[in-house]
Amino acid sequence: TKRSTFNGGFDSQITMWEAALKVCNLARAMLIWNGTNLTVAIDKAQDSMQLFSVGNIIKGTFKETFIGINERASEIECDFMNVDSGYDKDRFTVFNTSIDDDTGKYVISLDLTGIIHPQEIWRYAMFRLYQNQYLEKTVEFEADIDSIACTVGDVISIQHDTPDWLFGGRIVSATSSSVTLDKPIDPTINPDIINGIAIPSSQLLIMVRVASQTSSDDSGPIDYIETKNVVTPASSTATLQLDGTSFSSVPAKYDLYGIGWRGISVKEFKVIAVTRSSDQTCKISAIEYNETIYNVDNEDPVLPTPVPGPTDPGAPVTNLSLAEL
């Protein structure tokens, strides 16, 4: 069956814009004004289309916010017109037993006019519950306008030193098989196990945002991300050699990079807002991205959101005291 349909009408006076937003909400979509034109952002699984790192995030603007446990719903009550009962108004309650209710049950109620099939109600509600369970943080940061090529609904990759999401910066020079970074990388900080998974040191990789392709409409160069395995150096160094393959397009000086280990190289987020901070800077707001949440459409398992491992846990904290203010 189709995964998103609208079967309904409006029996109260609302604006065309409000009606359109109600329809889009049931299809995991959002209408966005782009000047005088309307575009549609669809919440769906997709590849990351831009890399942000300490190399292009304006210093002092990065902010990470965690969503409180008591704000995560474990139960959704859905009111809808049930086609199986002759379009009588019905209530379908969907639970997520994987969410810990020790802090108190949090229930939300939704009026899903436009959905008439119970199985579609279940998919819609479980998708929202999985978002509550697995998307636990948001980020905000500012960047120069000319370095932003993403928009609302796009998936982006983020590296930053504040939450210790691996390494990042800008490239000093590169060849087709090697790259020199703006600071040395120490491979010895790679832990043997990250999030319970053994990470062989040979899986060190680099992600580079290269701006060397020309757009189809000749409007200028467009960015793309290229990821390559690199040979793990024996000691701290700023020059890395690619492992077996070459860059399809040699990175230029000042191109962005992010370095980590396969599966935990950067942290992916989905853009939820782009606003202007000044004449030359914009602020990006984004929420965690977990591709497996969309498995609910096919009733496949949903996996926990990947967490980048710490690059250096540092020395143990001692003489720490805690007092209530």
Side-chain angles (χ1 to χ4, degrees), residues 119-164:
Q119 64 266 34
E120 193 171 347
I121 288 286
W122 182 88
R123 283 195 299 269
Y124 181 94
M126 284 305 301
F127 178 77
R128 299 302 178 189
L129 289 172
Y130 282 139
Q131 285 184 313
N132 273 265
Q133 180 180 0
Y134 293 112
L135 307 186
E136 302 176 347
K137 66 183 68 175
T138 61
V139 295
E140 294 179 356
F141 61 89
E142 294 182 16
D144 291 333
I145 289 178
D146 59 0
S147 67
I148 297 176
C150 60
T151 187
V152 174
D154 288 339
V155 174
I156 58 176
S157 298
I158 299 178
Q159 179 281 325
H160 204 273
D161 295 344
T162 298
D164 214 4

Side-chain angles (χ1 to χ4, degrees), residues 6-221:
F6 184 86
N7 295 280
F10 301 97
D11 57 2
S12 60
Q13 186 173 356
I14 60 175
T15 65
M16 184 181 296
W17 176 253
E18 292 172 333
L21 291 182
K22 285 181 176 290
V23 174
C24 287
N25 175 60
L26 299 183
R28 304 177 196 164
M30 178 185 298
L31 293 176
I32 302 172
W33 283 105
N34 183 13
T36 58
N37 297 321
L38 272 176
T39 58
V40 180
I42 301 176
D43 189 2
K44 61 181 180 179
Q46 55 186 293
D47 295 329
S48 174
M49 59 85 59
Q50 189 171 7
L51 171 66
F52 289 92
S53 75
V54 291
N56 65 338
I57 294 176
I58 296 176
K59 186 176 180 180
T61 65
F62 183 85
K63 177 182 178 182
E64 183 181 13
T65 303
F66 294 87
I67 300 173
I69 295 177
N70 58 352
E71 297 178 9
R72 300 176 197 169
S74 60
E75 180 179 332
I76 298 181
E77 297 176 345
C78 306
D79 293 325
F80 72 112
M81 300 298 180
N82 193 342
V83 65
D84 295 338
S85 60
Y87 297 98
D88 289 334
K89 192 165 187 178
D90 201 353
R91 171 166 290 185
F92 193 166
T93 302
V94 183
F95 303 88
N96 184 356
T97 57
S98 299
I99 297 181
D100 189 358
D101 285 338
D102 290 343
T103 58
K105 182 179 292 186
Y106 182 37
V107 183
I108 59 176
S109 299
L110 299 176
D111 182 3
L112 299 182
T113 300
I115 298 181
I116 59 176
H117 299 285
Q119 64 266 34
E120 193 171 347
I121 288 286
W122 182 88
R123 283 195 299 269
Y124 181 94
M126 284 305 301
F127 178 77
R128 299 302 178 189
L129 289 172
Y130 282 139
Q131 285 184 313
N132 273 265
Q133 180 180 0
Y134 293 112
L135 307 186
E136 302 176 347
K137 66 183 68 175
T138 61
V139 295
E140 294 179 356
F141 61 89
E142 294 182 16
D144 291 333
I145 289 178
D146 59 0
S147 67
I148 297 176
C150 60
T151 187
V152 174
D154 288 339
V155 174
I156 58 176
S157 298
I158 299 178
Q159 179 281 325
H160 204 273
D161 295 344
T162 298
D164 214 4
W165 292 340
L166 309 176
F167 308 102
R170 291 188 179 269
I171 290 175
V172 175
S173 62
T175 67
S176 61
S177 60
S178 68
V179 59
T180 300
L181 312 176
D182 55 352
K183 52 181 173 286
I185 297 300
D186 184 359
T188 62
I189 53 80
N190 182 16
D192 293 331
I193 295 180
I194 296 179
N195 298 327
I197 302 175
I199 306 295
S201 59
S202 60
Q203 290 186 327
L204 192 68
L205 59 79
I206 184 170
M207 176 181 288
V208 181
R209 194 186 82 176
V210 183
S212 59
Q213 289 185 331
T214 302
S215 59
S216 58
D217 59 359
D218 295 326
S219 60

Side-chain angles (χ1 to χ4, degrees), residues 133-134 136 267 289-293 301-307:
Q133 180 180 0
Y134 293 112
E136 302 176 347
K267 181 73 173 167
Y289 174 72
N290 183 338
E291 184 179 21
T292 67
I293 285 180
V302 175
L303 304 177
T305 303
V307 180

Side-chain angles (χ1 to χ4, degrees), residues 275-305:
T275 56
R276 186 182 293 272
S277 298
S278 67
D279 288 342
Q280 299 300 323
T281 63
C282 281
K283 180 173 75 174
I284 293 180
S285 300
I287 191 169
E288 265 189 315
Y289 174 72
N290 183 338
E291 184 179 21
T292 67
I293 285 180
Y294 304 95
N295 289 351
V296 69
D297 289 337
N298 302 310
E299 300 184 20
D300 291 330
V302 175
L303 304 177
T305 303

Side-chain angles (χ1 to χ4, degrees), residues 174-179 206 208 210 212 224-231 240-251:
T175 67
S176 61
S177 60
S178 68
V179 59
I206 184 170
V208 181
V210 183
S212 59
Y224 73 99
I225 297 175
E226 189 163 354
T227 302
K228 296 292 183 181
N229 292 330
V230 297
V231 177
L240 300 175
Q241 302 293 326
L242 299 192
D243 186 8
T245 59
S246 301
F247 287 115
S248 57
S249 180
V250 177

